[in-house]
Amino acid sequence: APQFPRYTRAEVAQHRTPKERVWVTYGTEVFDVTDFVELHPGGPDKILLAAGGALEPFWALYAVHGQPHVLELLRDYKVGELSPEDAAPPPGDTEDPFAGDPPRHPALRVNSLKPFNAEPPPELLTQSFLTPNELFFTRNHLPVPAVEPGSYRLRVEGPGGRALSLSLSELRQRFPKHEVTATLQCAGNRRSEMSRVRPVKGLPWDIGAISTARWGGARLRDVLLAAGVGDHTGDGEWHVCFEGLDTDASGTPYGASIPLKRALSAEAEVLLAYEMNGRELPRDHGFPVRVVVPGVVGARSVKWLRSVAQKDYKGFCPSVDWDSVDFGAAPAIQELPVQSAITEPRPGAAVPAGELTVKGYAWSGGGREVIRVSGGRRWGGEMRYNVQPDTVGPIWNLRGVLSNAWHRVPVTVTR
Ligand code: HEM
Ligand code: MTE
Ligand code: MO
């Protein structure tokens, strides 16, 4: 058998483009797949997402690779072995408050590491209708709480001092499981386009702070009714407040609220979810229980849920939510406006003259149906006669939220 040279992971990481040659690892072996990039059945852009690192996290998501002929093909490109000290990942730092955060998928585009905020690459966002859990965008304000599922309790406060304390198994057993396919979008999605008009505050999200999953859990309505919360309060100023287990340095938890009317509505399908795409909720997305409010700004879908309480008006609910902060005395953002964006081709791409396939997503926001998506001179979604604005200028705001103008992607046409 031939003797292969040894390389460190850092050396492999220097090979990320066809110019530097494209290297990847699989197990403890190193491959130079530069000459396969253009031949890849899944497209050259996708293989390049793994360039300079391990294939396993990507192949785990795209099962077509689990066939013998794929490994055989890879064998032809072997150029080395990983050096022994690099075969295992480095140990974690224990002083760091974020040291207990979970491992993440290398394809995620990180906007902030601590706290962790990241979005899927556009090409993978539209590879499937349901976003794989590992690629679902993540918006954390604080370290991820470590929750022991056996001792977890959810506190549900009803009127007149009544309260319910539910274990995870009680939540699963006492209430029927309900499933909802819902898209979550951060109010700051596409903020970076607003910053190009004039600088704004907040994380520089590209078009990926939006993802879709099939959520499973108890209906919030059922749990509230069991705690004695009912429709008797009318629809005045009543809200339901949610608190997370993630607290800041002063001990204040992340929190948000929705109107009681929506919380009790069977049609609104608000969930206390413990499953995401048929699996246990991942730690980054709120393990063991999170709220999912379909059609409403992501900030209301509180993760690592510790309490639900009915309050007589919104002022009593905690609010440390900086990416959808209230505009003065105006009511907080709830339903989101119509949104769409192009995921392929990418800005700056060279494309052949002639017909071109464009991929993207379109979403109605408030849970209404999509009527049409217009292409040609513009890319815009139209939902129940609610259309996207053509430019960012008139909707620009200091917080950089609700950025939903027509998405423009400049490309170079080659011949
Ligand atoms: C399909 C090889 C990396 C995504 C395939 C197929 C092969 C292949 C042989 C066709 C399988 C079949 O249908 O029999 C490779 C090799 C890679 C690599 C050798 C690395 C050296 C990646 C990466 C991604 C990816 C990093 C994702 C980020 C896909 C997808 C398909 C595919 C989505 C299915 C295409 C379709 O049918 O739509 N790949 N792949 N591949 N690959 Fe890869
Ligand atoms: N819940 C808690 N407890 N802590 C948080 O930081 N972020 C919110 C919301 N729920 C947050 C939270 C925001 S602003 C968004 S957009 C969504 O979670 C993102 O959900 P995801 O990370 O599962 O995509
Ligand atoms: Mo958000």
Side-chain angles (χ1 to χ4, degrees), residues 87-277:
D93 174 350
T94 47
E95 290 298 294
D96 181 354
F98 293 93
D101 272 20
R104 275 104 184 196
H105 199 280
L108 289 171
R109 300 282 158 80
V110 180
N111 294 317
S112 144
L113 197 55
K114 299 172 182 186
F116 191 73
N117 287 281
E119 58 191 293
E123 308 81 317
L124 296 187
L125 187 55
T126 44
Q127 177 68 32
S128 51
F129 179 70
L130 297 179
T131 317
N133 291 356
E134 294 80 353
L135 298 179
F136 201 99
F137 88 91
T138 300
R139 193 337 177 193
N140 293 345
H141 290 73
L142 292 157
V144 176
V147 184
E148 216 281 285
S151 44
Y152 171 80
R153 293 290 180 282
L154 173 65
R155 188 177 163 78
V156 186
E157 290 174 27
R162 272 183 70 173
L164 216 60
S165 172
L166 296 168
S167 70
L168 198 50
S169 54
E170 284 167 335
L171 187 67
R172 287 171 178 275
Q173 282 154 26
R174 277 186 60 178
F175 306 96
K177 183 166 119 187
H178 186 70
E179 289 190 287
V180 180
T181 299
T183 298
L184 295 187
Q185 180 184 230
C186 185
N189 190 30
R190 300 181 61 198
R191 176 179 283 133
S192 54
E193 288 161 66
M194 276 198 178
S195 307
R196 286 198 278 277
V197 174
R198 239 171 308 146
V200 297
K201 281 189 188 175
L203 294 160
W205 296 107
D206 187 19
I207 62 173
I210 183 167
S211 301
T212 302
R214 181 114 182 120
W215 308 94
R219 283 180 194 262
L220 174 61
R221 172 190 163 79
D222 294 345
V223 175
L224 287 175
L225 292 178
V229 176
D231 295 302
H232 53 272
T233 45
D235 59 2
E237 293 283 340
W238 293 86
H239 267 244
V240 169
C241 305
F242 308 117
E243 281 183 353
L245 287 159
D246 46 339
T247 51
D248 68 12
S250 75
T252 309
Y254 178 91
S257 76
I258 61 169
L260 178 64
K261 203 173 173 182
R262 181 181 289 274
L264 288 174
S265 155
E267 211 180 48
E269 301 189 279
V270 182
L271 280 196
L272 302 183
Y274 43 74
E275 279 177 15
M276 182 175 181
N277 292 325

Side-chain angles (χ1 to χ4, degrees), residues 224-350:
L224 287 175
L225 292 178
V229 176
D231 295 302
H232 53 272
T233 45
D235 59 2
E237 293 283 340
W238 293 86
H239 267 244
V240 169
C241 305
F242 308 117
E243 281 183 353
L245 287 159
D246 46 339
T247 51
D248 68 12
S250 75
T252 309
Y254 178 91
S257 76
I258 61 169
L260 178 64
K261 203 173 173 182
R262 181 181 289 274
L264 288 174
S265 155
E267 211 180 48
E269 301 189 279
V270 182
L271 280 196
L272 302 183
Y274 43 74
E275 279 177 15
M276 182 175 181
N277 292 325
R279 282 159 47 198
E280 181 173 82
L281 208 55
R283 288 190 61 209
D284 262 332
H285 301 290
F287 178 84
V289 178
R290 81 173 300 167
V291 184
V292 172
V293 194
V296 160
V297 66
R300 310 287 170 257
S301 290
V302 174
K303 305 191 275 190
W304 314 291
L305 186 65
R306 78 167 185 201
S307 69
V308 176
Q310 177 195 337
K311 294 281 168 73
D312 62 352
Y313 66 92
K314 198 200 150 277
F316 280 103
C317 295
S319 184
V320 293
D321 170 30
W322 288 104
D323 60 22
S324 53
V325 83
D326 303 3
F327 297 96
I333 302 170
Q334 295 285 342
E335 289 190 5
L336 287 172
V338 41
Q339 177 68 288
S340 74
I342 297 168
T343 56
E344 289 180 61
R346 301 299 301 138

